Amino acid sequence: QVQLVESGGGLVQPGGSLRLSCAASGTALRMYGMGWYRQAPGNQRDLVARISSLGTPNYADSVKDRFTISRDNAKNTVYLQMNSLKPEDTAVYYCNKIGSTWLWGRGTQVTVSS
């Protein structure tokens, strides 16, 4: 069974930065396109960044030029570097496979507030 563990969230002021990590067990992430999703209270879970198995990234317009997704296949981990954070980035962030998802992890809370 695939398990995903997200970490790195926290409270940050507007304009600040955070780096999220997603560690997987039970499978080799290198075979899959992976994504970072976020869900704010009362909203649906949205895909904000994705990276193909070959390392090609793609971003939602709302985070383009501020967020960077990357992967380290040797560590079986996917990262999300978030810069120039805004209050509207506040959400629980999850990682998962693109397409038919695995069981969701607990996510990591990101709160952007002064």
Side-chain angles (χ1 to χ4, degrees):
Q1 182 175 348
V2 177
Q3 288 190 315
L4 301 167
V5 179
E6 300 91 352
S7 62
L11 173 63
V12 62
Q13 293 186 340
S17 298
L18 285 172
R19 188 192 194 207
L20 307 184
S21 299
C22 170
S25 59
T27 191
L29 291 185
R30 68 179 184 275
M31 298 186 292
Y32 303 102
M34 294 294 297
W36 279 97
Y37 304 73
R38 68 185 181 189
Q39 186 170 21
N43 290 358
Q44 66 182 15
R45 188 174 293 165
D46 292 325
L47 177 66
V48 297
R50 61 190 293 172
I51 186 166
S52 73
S53 59
L54 297 179
T56 301
N58 193 272
Y59 302 95
D61 288 343
S62 58
V63 306
K64 198 172 294 183
D65 299 326
R66 299 188 299 121
F67 290 11
T68 302
I69 189 171
S70 61
R71 63 194 305 159
D72 186 333
N73 291 333
K75 295 183 178 180
N76 220 29
T77 300
V78 178
Y79 302 98
L80 186 67
Q81 177 67 43
M82 305 187 297
N83 299 328
S84 302
L85 283 161
K86 304 176 181 180
E88 50 264 44
D89 294 319
T90 295
V92 180
Y93 284 71
Y94 304 86
C95 70
N96 214 313
K97 181 166 62 72
I98 297 300
S100 57
T101 57
W102 295 311
L103 186 68
W104 292 93
R106 297 180 64 178
T108 185
Q109 175 71 48
V110 172
T111 303
V112 185
S113 175
S114 55

